């Protein structure tokens, strides 16, 4: 290649502007790049007999860029460690991609709702497949060096599982509508109790039930408005938390107990 120009070679503020590059260099560059990127000239890169994918190649680029960020040339030992790090990160990336690909087939956006226990079982299976993929990959640095990357893989898998769990729960029609269903049920029960207390002359308790009814109606209104408009999200979260507390501590245990009593009878 010809000389790129004095500004390219000596100016530390050179930003890659084409106007600073010699025309002859640009002309030869237009000839060289198509030859390099020609599919007939491209050979799949291999490291230690393992063919490097594009995802893995990005990890190598990132590691080498960190090494060459300083003003001094890196030592051979640093280059070796950078290669080992990139090699392990590439294995982590491939294993994580395998986990996500399998989980997408099981509980992706186009799949129906799956029970939480079954999803957890599938998660463990996919996680084991990903860990096996990581361990079977050819890596540099030895087993002890790879332990930290295995831990990183497990952490990322657990984070991905939390996302898949939330996605799966959003497909459950009852869970998504649990808040309004519980609030409407409370309104009906509260109204019946209010009318009953008024009928037997317990005006004080009827007033209490009336106050509770106003609160429940207000909570349902805020929740519905927040879901429709996208505003008041914090208030909507408070309503969801309150309903979840009622469901977990009062409604669900009592429903389960009634079901058991019915079975025993």
């Amino acid at each position: 290649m010809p000389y790129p120009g004095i500004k390219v070679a000596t100016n530390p503020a050179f930003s890659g502007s084409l106007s600073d590059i010699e025309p002859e260099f640009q002309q030869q560059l237009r000839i060289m790049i198509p030859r390099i990127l020609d599919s007939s000239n491209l050979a799949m890169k291999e490291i230690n007999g393992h063919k490097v994918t594009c995802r893995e190649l990005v990890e190598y680029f990132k590691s080498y860029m960190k090494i060459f960020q300083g003003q001094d040339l890196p030592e051979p030992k640093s280059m070796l460690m950078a290669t080992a790090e990139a090699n392990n990160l590439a294995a982590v990336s491939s294993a994580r991609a395998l986990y996500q690909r399998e989980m997408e087939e099981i509980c992706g956006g186009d799949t129906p709702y799956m029970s939480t226990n079954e999803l957890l079982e599938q998660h463990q299976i996919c996680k084991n497949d990903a860990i096996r993929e990581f361990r079977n990959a050819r890596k540099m640095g030895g087993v002890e060096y790879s332990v930290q990357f295995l831990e990183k893989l497990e952490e990322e898998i657990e984070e991905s599982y939390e996302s898949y769990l939330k996605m799966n729960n959003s497909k459950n029609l009852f869970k998504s509508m649990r808040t309004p269903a519980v609030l409407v049920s409370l309104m009906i029960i509260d109204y019946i109790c209010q009318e009953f207390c008024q009928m037997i002359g317990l005006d004080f308790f009827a007033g209490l039930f009336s106050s509770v009814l106003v609160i429940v109606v207000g909570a349902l209104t805020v929740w519905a408005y927040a879901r429709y408009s996208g505003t008041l999200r914090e208030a909507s979260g408070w309503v969801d938390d309150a309903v979840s507390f009622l469901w977990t501590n009062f409604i669900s245990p009592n429903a389960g107990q009634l079901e058991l009593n019915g079975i025993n009878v």
Side-chain angles (χ1 to χ4, degrees), residues 189-221:
I189 295 173
D190 191 89
Y191 178 77
I192 294 174
C193 293
Q194 174 189 337
E195 292 298 320
F196 178 76
C197 290
Q198 286 181 344
M199 184 176 62
I200 62 177
L202 298 177
D203 294 336
F204 174 76
F205 291 101
L208 290 179
F209 283 116
S210 178
S211 300
V212 173
L213 181 61
V214 172
I215 295 174
V216 174
V217 171
L220 180 60
T221 303

Side-chain angles (χ1 to χ4, degrees), residues 26 30 33 62 66 93 95 154 186 250 263:
Q26 297 184 38
R30 293 189 182 96
I33 296 301
K62 290 180 180 179
K66 292 179 182 178
S93 180
E154 292 178 345
L186 288 176
F250 299 99
I263 293 175

Side-chain angles (χ1 to χ4, degrees), residues 3 19 39-40 49 66 84 98 114 121 129 150 170 184 232 242 246:
Y3 188 61
S19 60
S39 58
S40 60
K66 292 179 182 178
L98 174 64
M114 177 184 295
E121 293 177 1
D129 292 342
L150 178 59
S170 66
V184 170
L232 301 177
L246 290 174

Side-chain angles (χ1 to χ4, degrees), residues 80-256:
L80 179 62
M81 293 304 298
T83 303
E85 179 185 11
N87 187 250
N88 280 270
L89 287 174
V92 170
S93 180
S94 297
R96 183 180 64 248
L98 174 64
Y99 170 82
Q100 293 175 344
R101 185 167 59 252
E102 292 183 351
M103 289 295 287
E104 282 293 331
E105 295 178 357
I106 295 171
C107 61
D110 297 331
T111 58
Y113 171 75
M114 177 184 295
S115 67
T116 303
N117 292 335
E118 186 178 358
L119 181 62
L120 180 59
E121 293 177 1
Q122 295 297 328
H123 157 69
Q124 292 295 340
I125 294 174
C126 296
K127 180 180 178 180
N128 293 335
D129 292 342
I131 292 176
R132 190 181 305 110
E133 174 78 8
F134 174 81
R135 288 175 174 169
N136 292 338
R138 294 185 177 182
K139 300 180 292 295
M140 300 175 61
V143 177
E144 295 182 357
Y145 183 73
S146 298
V147 170
Q148 56 182 318
F149 296 96
L150 178 59
E151 294 175 352
K152 173 181 173 63
L153 172 63
E154 292 178 345
E155 291 176 0
E156 293 180 355
I157 286 178
E158 291 301 326
E159 292 177 0
S160 297
Y161 171 67
E162 292 297 327
S163 299
Y164 286 117
L165 182 61
K166 292 179 181 179
M167 181 191 302
N168 184 66
N169 288 337
S170 66
K171 300 174 186 176
N172 189 334
L173 180 61
F174 177 75
K175 286 188 176 181
S176 62
M177 298 298 294
R178 182 170 63 186
T179 296
V182 170
L183 292 177
V184 170
S185 300
L186 288 176
M187 289 170 55
I188 296 174
I189 295 173
D190 191 89
Y191 178 77
I192 294 174
C193 293
Q194 174 189 337
E195 292 298 320
F196 178 76
C197 290
Q198 286 181 344
M199 184 176 62
I200 62 177
L202 298 177
D203 294 336
F204 174 76
F205 291 101
L208 290 179
F209 283 116
S210 178
S211 300
V212 173
L213 181 61
V214 172
I215 295 174
V216 174
V217 171
L220 180 60
T221 303
V222 170
W223 183 90
Y225 177 77
R227 289 303 178 96
Y228 174 77
S229 64
T231 58
L232 301 177
R233 297 178 60 186
E234 187 174 355
S236 175
W238 292 341
V239 175
D240 286 328
D241 292 340
V243 170
S244 297
F245 177 80
L246 290 174
W247 177 264
T248 303
N249 295 279
F250 299 99
I251 302 176
S252 183
N254 292 332

